[in-house]
Amino acid sequence: MQTRAIALAVITTLASTTATGLAHAAGAEPNQRSLSDLSLEELMNIEVTSVAKKPQRVADTASAVFVITGEDIRRSGVTSIAEALRMAPGLEVARFGSNKWAVSIRGFNGRFANKLLVLMDGRTVYTPLFSGVLWETQDAVLEDIERIEVIRGPGAALWGANAVNGIINIITRKASDTHGTLVSAGAGDSERSFATIRHGGTVGTDGAYRIYAKGFSRDSYPDLTGRDGPDDWTGGLVGFRLDRALAAGEDLSVQVNAFQGRIGEQFTTALLDFPYRNVQDIKQRGEGANVLLRWQGRSAAGSSSALQAYLDHTRFELGAFSESRDTLDLDYQRRLPVGASNDLIVGAAYRLSHDSITPTDTVTFAQTSLESRLFSAFAQDEITLAPDLLRLTLGSRFEHNSYTGSEIQPNARLLWTPAPEHSFWGSVSRAVRTPARFEAYGRIRQAVIPPSTPGNPGPLPVELAIVGNTEFDSEKLVAYELGYRTQLAAHASVDWTVFSNHYDGIRGFVLGAPQPVPVMAIPTHVVQPLNIANSLNGHVNGTEVAVEMRPREWWRLQGHAGVQWLSFTDINGPEDSITGAAPRHTFSVRSMMNLRSNIELDLWLRHVDALHGLDVPAYTTLDLRLGWKPRRDIELSLVGQNLSQPRHQEFVSDFIGTTTNQVPRSVYVRLDWRF
């Protein structure tokens, strides 16, 4: 009831502010020019680097790319990277706990979604354990994020395996752009408390630095019965960045980060004797540190080189087991313009990863410690067939991994620009998702069926176990995409994409022969293996559209919608574990209004279709943000999230027995002080 009263107060305040502020909005001048004040033409000219590994205007990319700017993050009111990703079309973001998300692109969603490559300033953050991302361990000072580049569709020709359905590249601001001091703090019901402090300055005449620290405490979310869950969450992050010019055309960047978190969770363990299951509340720990160095050099002739190296250490617990991992990654690329018509980029990379796993009765591994290596090289040529009209891009990546050996991932892209305000593009790509550590050597006790029950009439309990397979091969994708971008007028733009993805050898499970397990020659239980295999084939077809409008100078509208159709079969017939876990329709509409020179009103409406295979109903939710700057250096924000209903379900847990929780309505206040 308290949350509802706060929410009603927020809505009343916003409505009152809107009514009194619109009369002054047309003549309002903001205190400073931000990305929200850019024209649509200027927004289309924002440069991205993830599509072609070089600076490129959004309007010139032959790919389905969307940019979430730092200003978008600020005005959305989100408090995590995963929540910010909801602003991009084609992205499926589902939260099923205070500290748990499922994030994917164009289907295949889950907490351990494995067909999405995520990078932070060029550092790969997925874990080879299951080829996915633990979003609860990925954090950053949101105010320091310059942009998030989201590429829907394969990017394996440049980025390698796991860049199957898309790429997310989180790019932070240069140290020279964060001079001064920022202090940010807030509190609410679900967001119990959070604070950030950052300071930046100069080093000599050719360098800049920033140091930062943040911490937060988040309340638990209600379970499916409405009772408070145990998934409260506390965490913190510290780090620094140094950028320095070494010589003419040469730059060096050094970044260091360390994080730690305490993650609450309710975990169900399957037992081999009565009562055959145990439910317990646990506190997990996640921690890590990384160091990244990047050197870049440019010549007057137009060529450039980049060398990047990073060391990464992580340790996390998942209730069922814990993992410690150390990674060394080296990457080199060179850009070589060849004549007037060819822009060639070549590169090579090496990654060494070593892990140590502490198993339990629930999750075990054939090898508790393993070292894996990845070698790769790529080449891509952008060929100008007709200046300012037609460009062809051809490229491929060649990899050698520890599980399947060599992989080749080519792509071809064509961009046609008949007029400055219109561009058409198409692509054909091949990508693979190489096996994860668990798929080769892991084993999960998924459930135990008690004896003398309808599911198990026999006298012994039956253990259902997911069993890894060292013969498991790479999953393969051939993708076809078509896109169109246009600026309809000075106040509207449209970005539209259609795609057809064809998958072969997707991970499924094949029933093995039941295996009685004896102790002293007496059977105690029966194991029913579910062997991991490349048993699924199918396709995903769909379309996505993103629209940007400026009805008035002080009012910006941003929306996107998508529809997709999934069809998969396995060796036994139709398969709904994939098709039923993806929404058919989604849409999002954001409204950002500068009511006065120092007052902002932002609304965000989202809808996600039902997940029929997971028994998750459709939901529609609304976020509201009211921002006020009493002075140029101080900003106060009041944010209400998921206000349309008291709570709603977005997903369910998969693989390990984590309890699913609902997302509640919440409100928080925030103060930002820059000096």
Side-chain angles (χ1 to χ4, degrees), residues 131-177:
S131 298
V133 176
L134 287 173
W135 289 97
E136 61 267 36
T137 65
Q138 303 306 322
D139 200 5
V141 175
L142 297 186
E143 294 83 358
D144 289 347
I145 294 178
E146 178 181 288
R147 65 187 186 275
I148 302 176
E149 298 178 5
V150 179
I151 295 100
R152 291 113 55 205
L158 285 179
W159 296 100
N162 291 82
V164 177
N165 280 11
I167 303 165
I168 295 172
N169 195 1
I170 302 155
I171 300 170
T172 60
R173 301 164 69 186
K174 296 179 180 178
S176 57
D177 295 331

Side-chain angles (χ1 to χ4, degrees), residues 208-246:
Y209 74 92
R210 67 166 171 263
I211 56 175
Y212 48 87
K214 67 176 291 188
F216 62 86
S217 174
R218 290 182 178 136
D219 202 2
S220 57
Y221 278 11
D223 63 20
L224 296 182
T225 68
R227 294 177 298 183
D228 285 341
D231 61 331
D232 56 318
W233 185 21
T234 59
L237 170 74
V238 296
F240 79 88
R241 173 168 176 163
L242 172 67
D243 297 330
R244 187 156 193 167
L246 300 179

